[in-house]
Amino acid sequence: MTAAPHPAENHRAAAPVAIRRATPADAEACGRICYEAFFRVSQHHNFPADIPSPQHAAGFLSALFGHPGVFCVVAEQDGKIVGSNCMDERTAIAGIGPITIDPSCQNRSVGRQLMKAVLDRAEERQFKGVRLVQAGYHMRSLSLYTKLGFIVREPLACLHGPAIRQEISGFRVRPARPDDLHACNAVAFRVHGHDRGGELSDSIQAGSAIVVESRGRITGYASSLSFFGHAVSETNEDLQAMISAAPEIPPPGLLVPMRNSFLFRWCLGHGFRTTQPQNLMTIGLYNEPAGAYLPSVLY
């Protein structure tokens, strides 16, 4: 999830930018920047904002800044916070975001410096790959990430719609339990060549994760069916069963790979509507998925 300064800004010579580790005490200031950055960019391109309020952003960032498995940094200029960035380190693939920069910031290099800080960390920690989800309508961030070495792997559609609330015969959807973790990781490895066990373990503890059982075993899971959750399954039908069973689909919705035309068309046929385009971008390890999946806004 990425945003950058408004393209119409005027720039001048500015004081140097200092990058430091973020703390939970930074969340309020960073939350205001995060909300304003996403609001300004989405408004400029006539798309709905991903984040409903500064308070929501501050709460989200506070959790990230205090999580031991997430590396977060802030940028300061003239003693004032002007941006932040985070990198999830809970699995072998690191996920970047949200990166946000104060729209009034006068230094064009802030975004690049925030990205460099986390990419340097990823190299130091020897992650097999680094990924992010980029707002497809925002050409400035697309260009920056491409220059930094990221490759667009999958065009995504953010879809939002009514809960289907139906059971599909032959598929059982239930809350995930801690003893499901091994089977879920095995599904993820078969589909992607790596698992997301760290994230999934946290989601199981939080009570948001679900699994689908079919053909006598666990055939898929979702850390949550939301913008911030990911899902992996052996087949489209497994994924459809989980989406169908969801009591609600919170806004802004689910990220659906556009190349999975069967699933994309099925969602549209059940009342979902496309709200915005996104791109999954990667550096390092990437395997063409051997199953169905929904990325989170992280990757």
Side-chain angles (χ1 to χ4, degrees):
M1 185 165 67
T2 60
H6 190 279
E9 293 169 16
N10 293 318
H11 298 275
R12 60 170 174 79
V17 173
I19 306 294
R20 65 167 173 82
R21 190 76 180 258
T23 71
D26 299 320
E28 184 176 354
C30 291
R32 288 195 300 269
I33 292 170
C34 183
Y35 170 76
E36 182 64 21
F38 279 106
F39 178 80
R40 288 275 297 275
V41 170
S42 58
Q43 184 182 54
H44 179 77
H45 293 88
N46 199 29
F47 282 94
D50 296 332
I51 300 174
S53 69
Q55 293 75 23
H56 184 276
F60 175 65
L61 290 176
S62 179
L64 292 180
F65 290 177
H67 196 295
V70 183
F71 175 74
C72 299
V73 292
V74 298
E76 289 184 322
Q77 189 176 42
D78 289 327
K80 174 187 174 184
I81 293 176
V82 294
S84 63
N85 196 9
C86 296
M87 184 171 69
D88 193 308
E89 301 182 326
R90 287 176 285 182
T91 61
I93 304 296
I96 294 177
I99 174 172
T100 52
I101 303 153
D102 190 333
S104 66
C105 176
Q106 300 297 313
N107 192 319
R108 292 181 177 179
S109 71
V110 174
R112 182 179 289 273
Q113 291 187 57
L114 285 168
M115 287 297 294
K116 184 178 184 302
V118 297
L119 289 174
D120 285 349
R121 166 86 169 194
E123 184 176 3
E124 173 189 322
R125 294 297 180 97
Q126 298 183 324
F127 283 97
K128 294 180 180 178
V130 183
R131 301 182 186 179
L132 56 80
V133 169
Q134 181 266 342
Y137 54 79
H138 193 218
M139 297 299 100
R140 190 170 179 179
S141 63
L142 177 63
S143 298
L144 172 61
Y145 303 146
T146 300
K147 290 177 181 178
L148 291 172
F150 284 89
I151 299 170
V152 174
R153 295 293 189 179
E154 189 78 63
L156 309 170
C158 184
L159 299 179
H160 187 249
I164 300 170
R165 296 193 180 96
Q166 291 180 356
E167 293 184 7
I168 297 180
S169 178
F171 299 86
R172 179 190 177 213
V173 178
R174 61 168 175 82
R177 303 185 299 257
D179 60 355
D180 296 324
L181 188 60
H182 178 75
C184 292
N185 285 344
V187 172
F189 196 88
R190 286 196 297 272
V191 173
H192 290 301
H194 65 87
D195 66 62
R196 298 177 71 167
E199 291 175 71
L200 180 57
S201 180
D202 284 353
S203 297
I204 292 173
Q205 292 182 32
S208 65
I210 60 173
V211 299
V212 58
E213 295 175 320
S214 180
R215 308 178 289 283
R217 63 184 188 278
I218 288 175
T219 52
Y221 76 87
S223 62
S224 72
L225 284 171
S226 71
F227 196 60
F228 296 96
H230 72 276
V232 187
S233 63
E234 294 180 1
T235 69
N236 279 325
E237 290 75 15
D238 296 309
L239 196 47
Q240 288 169 327
M242 290 191 284
I243 296 173
S244 295
E248 65 172 338
I249 304 295
L254 307 176
L255 291 172
V256 176
M258 293 188 201
R259 292 188 302 158
N260 189 342
S261 57
F262 179 87
L263 182 65
F264 192 7
R265 191 177 300 114
W266 179 85
C267 289
L268 294 173
H270 282 80
F272 285 71
R273 293 294 177 263
T274 306
T275 61
Q276 59 179 299
Q278 306 268 354
N279 289 309
L280 173 64
M281 303 184 73
T282 75
I283 289 176
L285 176 68
Y286 182 80
N287 298 313
E288 190 68 21
Y293 76 106
L294 300 177
S296 68
V297 73
L298 189 64
Y299 72 84

